[in-house]
Amino acid sequence: MKRILMGAVMFVLLAFGAFAQNAAYKENLAKAKEYEAQGKYFNALASYYDAMEAEPTEKAEEALVAYRKLAYVLKAGKPGYGEDMDEFDIYDGWISIAEEYDNYWKENCPVYFKSGSFVKGELNMETRTASYSASATDDYTNKYLELKDIVLSGWKNAYRNDWSKGKSNSLPLGDDPEKRTYYVTAEAVDSTGAVLFNLASTKKTGNYYYDDYSYKWTINDVSRDDMKKIDAQTVTIRVTDVKWTDSENESKTIVSPSMEQKNNAVSTVDEAVTKEKERIAKEKEEKERLEKYAQVLKKMANSFVYVEGGTFGMGTNDFSFAKPVHNVTLSSYYVAKTEVTQAQWKAVMGNNPSYFMGDNRPVEKVTWYDTIVFCNKLSMMDGRTPVYSVNGKTDPDTWNYKPCQGNSISGTITMNIKSNGYRLPTEAEWEFAAWGGKKRKGYKYSGSDNLSTIAWYCDNSGDQTHDVAKKAPNELGLYDMSGNVWEWCWDWCDSYSSAAQTNPVGASSGDFRVVRGGGWEDISGSCRVACRYYGYPYGWYSNIGFRLVRSAN
């Protein structure tokens, strides 16, 4: 399984001093610096990413800082460093970056491959043979998705209508992508690793950079002996290589990462039986969920802590993105003692998208959009007025949105913070509660300066989440506000203002939503109360969950 590389883009690190670093890290860091000196900024960005991937710990601080700095410059619309860039320099720079981008992904395969079902087709009674079909689909690497977002965001910010190349929502790629053809070769492997079939190349023509592809092979005249092998055991479809040919007849074989998924060939009868069992199991699960809901809701209603409003200094001068410290005044509100657990999520939503399973573990792999659906559903179940609306409607069933699938909610999302329903905290509410509110004792983590006593993080988590409330609480009796999982906030991610604010709710728009608190795979600096980070609102991660609040009206 691919792991989400949150550490690779974490922008806040303390100065940890000198550490021994591995050869791959040093090699990629040196390569990135060389590209940067040559003005090859996309190649530099990609090499900094490779350096951090080779050393995804605090030892990668130098690459991390350089990556963050360059990413912000590019996303802002500048094609690299240079204070005195005029419009011509910006145009020329972006054309150069587009060329680097195109060439880079020609040389580096930007996808993993997932196999689909291995399915028995027609039987031929005369020849005693059968046909089978196999498929594979693209699954883009995290590196590709992240670098693509940075470059395309910068291109759109810099684009002017009088540019002769490209258009506002796409890059001017070097050759016509509609004439680029991709050939994908695979093989069917049995449980011992032996190759049962070599699957010849299947081709697709089109824009590799923005289209999801599906590849399909048909295997005819399978012998009875091979049919018995396939039907009796698990068969894996494994992509072996990818080759492209462009409109100039240039050809390139890409060394492809392969992600395997095992599938069994099943008969039509087996499928029907399986579906009926699934239907019965689903009905039983729904009945049990409804019976359990009343108990879960009662416990949730009694699990909130009253936070008396007040004024505090939000932020810190220790982190560049947490500056400046500024006065914020908040009204009183209620905060849940723990992060939303998987049992609570299942009681409301009827599913569990988490990677690390456990009823009392925090729910994760939920998008920001998923959380506001949960909040409104819970509010309606508890007889409260929902906080969120989409195009004026508060019932999530009218939003045309399917949770836990990585989608975005279409429409204008608004928040009525005066409603008595459940909601996400604003970033200011989260930080005030994490400090301990008016009971604050000045700890840098939520509840202590000894992180291991109050948080699950990279040094003690064992690379997984843990049951909530197993570490010591903070001054308000709140658990896991440092560590375990990051927590979604309402706010769009934006820089702080130095001006004093009252009940701030963040920027009116943006690309990312704020997350706070650090998680199970993060270093100590990321678990500090003032540390800020962000995520795509449609992104789902195994180290991001959320916590509920209610207004005290």
Side-chain angles (χ1 to χ4, degrees), residues 40-185:
K40 297 180 178 180
Y41 292 110
F42 177 79
N43 288 334
L45 192 72
S47 295
Y48 281 131
Y49 189 104
D50 291 339
M52 294 183 296
E53 196 167 34
E55 185 64 81
T57 71
E58 65 268 18
K59 299 176 185 178
E61 181 182 9
E62 184 178 0
L64 186 64
V65 171
Y67 175 88
R68 173 175 60 87
K69 184 178 179 182
L70 182 55
Y72 272 109
V73 168
L74 294 178
K75 289 195 77 169
K78 279 194 174 183
Y81 298 116
E83 295 297 327
D84 57 348
M85 285 186 185
D86 60 25
E87 294 293 334
F88 298 101
D89 294 327
I90 293 174
Y91 171 80
D92 293 340
W94 276 111
I95 298 303
S96 177
I97 284 178
E99 183 178 357
E100 289 178 53
Y101 181 93
D102 192 34
N103 290 333
Y104 186 87
W105 294 121
K106 283 182 181 179
E107 297 293 326
N108 299 275
C109 187
V111 296
Y112 286 84
F113 295 91
K114 292 192 297 189
S115 67
S117 299
F118 197 88
V119 182
K120 183 188 293 185
E122 294 290 331
L123 293 176
N124 188 320
M125 295 303 172
E126 183 177 349
T127 61
R128 305 279 178 167
T129 61
S131 66
Y132 286 82
S133 63
S135 63
T137 55
D138 291 347
D139 186 20
Y140 291 115
T141 63
N142 293 313
K143 176 181 177 181
Y144 170 72
L145 292 173
E146 185 168 312
L147 299 189
K148 168 190 164 186
D149 176 72
I150 291 169
V151 172
L152 287 183
S153 295
W155 170 266
K156 291 176 185 178
N157 284 332
Y159 180 81
R160 289 174 36 144
N161 290 332
D162 61 348
W163 286 12
S164 61
K165 294 185 178 181
K167 54 185 178 180
S168 60
N169 62 350
S170 65
L171 290 171
L173 303 180
D175 62 86
D176 183 358
E178 296 300 325
K179 296 181 180 178
R180 193 177 296 167
T181 302
Y182 295 86
Y183 301 85
V184 177
T185 302

Side-chain angles (χ1 to χ4, degrees), residues 313-326 435 496 528 530:
M314 185 172 179
T316 178
N317 291 323
D318 292 342
F319 305 144
S320 61
F321 201 47
K323 295 179 181 179
V325 178
H326 55 291
W435 284 127
Y496 284 157
R528 288 183 58 175

Side-chain angles (χ1 to χ4, degrees), residues 425-482:
T426 65
E427 186 177 13
E429 288 173 332
W430 188 96
E431 185 168 322
F432 187 54
W435 284 127
K438 286 189 172 182
K439 299 178 181 181
R440 177 179 179 177
K441 295 181 179 179
Y443 300 128
K444 59 185 177 181
Y445 307 111
S446 185
S448 176
D449 282 332
N450 184 352
L451 184 58
S452 63
T453 65
I454 52 95
W456 298 108
Y457 69 115
C458 67
D459 285 357
N460 65 4
S461 70
D463 289 337
Q464 60 183 314
T465 61
H466 291 262
D467 285 0
V468 300
K470 292 300 183 182
K471 292 290 186 178
N474 75 353
E475 298 92 322
L476 288 172
L478 305 176
Y479 296 89
D480 300 306
M481 293 204 78
S482 289

